[in-house]
Amino acid sequence: MLIGTYRQKLDEKGRLNFPARFREEMGEQFYVTCWLDECLIALPAAKFEQIFARLSESGMVKNRALRRMLYAGAVEAQPDKQGRILLPPNLREHAGLGKEVVVIGVGDYVELWEPDHWQKMKDSMRGGEMAVAMEELDI
């Protein structure tokens, strides 16, 4: 299970040292693409292929906006010997990434956040919204 929060630096070439704990579970190759809430998502290859299969079943017209968001910016990530992955400019721009990135485990995928955006997201989940989500799941 992908859990935890890590603060990582982006180098001048847009490379991110992907946390070792996450690399083990993500596999040798995984996918990074645009995601909701102004962040990026990193998906193990099997999960990305599952999503592709489900979207393909729905035809070319239905869910086309989602297909565009997920696939147009997607890159295959293969960590180098130092554990770095390259985040191209279009992905960095989508998430507003600068020199620091917050990398969080979200169970079966990973999200990459600009630190201020992540703090705002955490702040928004305090209190009522979190309670509603927990109640819906009967937690």
Side-chain angles (χ1 to χ4, degrees), residues 38-56:
E38 297 180 65
C39 72
L40 302 177
I41 186 171
L43 296 152
K47 183 76 171 171
F48 192 77
E49 290 163 10
Q50 270 182 337
I51 293 168
F52 177 79
R54 290 198 59 195
L55 287 172
S56 294

Side-chain angles (χ1 to χ4, degrees), residues 20-91:
R21 171 112 196 259
F22 291 166
R23 287 195 309 267
E24 293 170 15
E25 292 200 39
M26 295 290 283
E28 291 181 24
Q29 177 182 318
F30 52 92
Y31 293 86
V32 179
T33 192
C34 299
W35 193 231
L36 307 170
D37 303 316
E38 297 180 65
C39 72
L40 302 177
I41 186 171
L43 296 152
K47 183 76 171 171
F48 192 77
E49 290 163 10
Q50 270 182 337
I51 293 168
F52 177 79
R54 290 198 59 195
L55 287 172
S56 294
E57 290 169 5
S58 69
M60 289 177 61
V61 176
K62 189 176 181 183
N63 298 314
R64 66 188 178 274
L66 177 58
R67 292 168 68 108
R68 289 173 186 146
M69 182 182 78
L70 289 177
Y71 301 132
V75 296
E76 294 177 4
Q78 293 180 319
D80 64 14
K81 291 179 182 179
Q82 289 79 36
R84 300 171 301 189
I85 62 169
L86 178 64
L87 297 177
N90 64 311
L91 290 181

Side-chain angles (χ1 to χ4, degrees), residues 65-136:
L66 177 58
R67 292 168 68 108
R68 289 173 186 146
M69 182 182 78
L70 289 177
Y71 301 132
V75 296
E76 294 177 4
Q78 293 180 319
D80 64 14
K81 291 179 182 179
Q82 289 79 36
R84 300 171 301 189
I85 62 169
L86 178 64
L87 297 177
N90 64 311
L91 290 181
R92 295 193 312 263
E93 183 179 319
H94 171 81
L97 300 179
K99 293 185 181 208
E100 192 170 14
V101 179
V102 177
V103 184
I104 64 168
V106 191
D108 58 352
Y109 62 91
V110 171
E111 291 179 346
L112 293 85
W113 288 85
E114 188 280 328
D116 290 339
H117 291 164
W118 172 237
Q119 187 61 50
K120 288 176 189 169
M121 178 58 67
K122 287 192 322 184
D123 292 345
S124 75
M125 286 300 290
R126 292 194 174 116
E129 189 176 329
M130 182 69 94
V132 169
M134 291 174 79
E135 188 171 329
E136 286 177 5

